[in-house]
Amino acid sequence: MSNSIYNYELKVRDYECDAQGIVNNANYQHYYEVCRHEFLETCGLNFYELHTQGVDAVVVSVYIRYKHSLRGSEECTVTVDRVEKEGIRYIFHQSIIRKRDGKICSQAKVETACMVNGRVGKPDIFDKAFAAYI
């Protein structure tokens, strides 16, 4: 975690688990998204306010590798490890780390693109917000 640029703490809720008590795989994607939105706020951007200004960051692709299971009531840290920029795309490398033993439960590579007034575009606002991380 020391190499991450942003950490978000959360506790697994029981309704996010399947019949075996393991977090359903789709919820990992939710955790990653919450973390990215919180990271945006630390960079001075609010996802919903951007939308009202005609700027939308949209997910283009998600790759998640599952390594260890999270279970109900467990605490974890969701991270943004690094951000890359390729043209008009931003690529977020993220991890979910179980707090009780420090094991990496999953890692993700999330590719996003920006829409400006409904068209693919390159908003300078993200370049400025992420300047310290890219």
Side-chain angles (χ1 to χ4, degrees):
M1 282 190 307
S2 60
N3 294 332
S4 61
I5 58 176
Y6 181 76
N7 295 328
Y8 181 76
E9 308 292 322
L10 67 81
K11 184 176 180 180
V12 173
R13 294 160 293 252
D14 293 335
Y15 68 84
E16 297 168 330
C17 300
D18 60 20
Q20 293 104 2
I22 297 171
V23 172
N24 180 283
N25 62 353
N27 286 307
Y28 287 81
Q29 188 168 342
H30 294 192
Y31 299 164
Y32 286 124
E33 186 158 338
V34 167
C35 181
R36 285 192 313 281
H37 286 214
E38 295 293 327
F39 172 65
L40 277 178
E41 293 214 3
T42 67
C43 295
L45 302 174
N46 179 283
F47 187 80
Y48 297 103
E49 288 175 12
L50 288 169
H51 175 72
T52 64
Q53 299 167 19
V55 177
D56 293 298
V58 296
V59 172
V60 175
S61 69
V62 177
Y63 172 79
I64 299 175
R65 170 140 179 144
Y66 301 96
K67 296 181 173 211
H68 296 280
S69 297
L70 277 172
R71 297 185 173 274
S73 298
E74 285 191 312
E75 294 179 344
C76 64
T77 303
V78 186
T79 67
V80 174
D81 300 318
R82 71 182 192 277
V83 180
E84 297 175 355
K85 183 174 181 211
E86 291 183 5
I88 62 168
R89 296 173 296 139
Y90 298 92
I91 301 165
F92 293 84
H93 296 268
Q94 297 183 259
S95 301
I96 296 177
I97 300 147
R98 192 168 49 208
K99 288 184 87 172
R100 72 175 159 83
D101 59 8
K103 292 216 182 226
I104 295 174
C105 294
S106 75
Q107 293 181 303
K109 179 179 175 182
V110 182
E111 182 180 347
T112 64
C114 297
M115 304 290 288
V116 180
N117 296 319
R119 295 186 166 187
V120 175
K122 181 186 170 251
D124 295 331
I125 194 168
F126 287 105
D127 288 342
K128 290 176 187 170
F130 300 150
Y133 307 109
I134 295 178

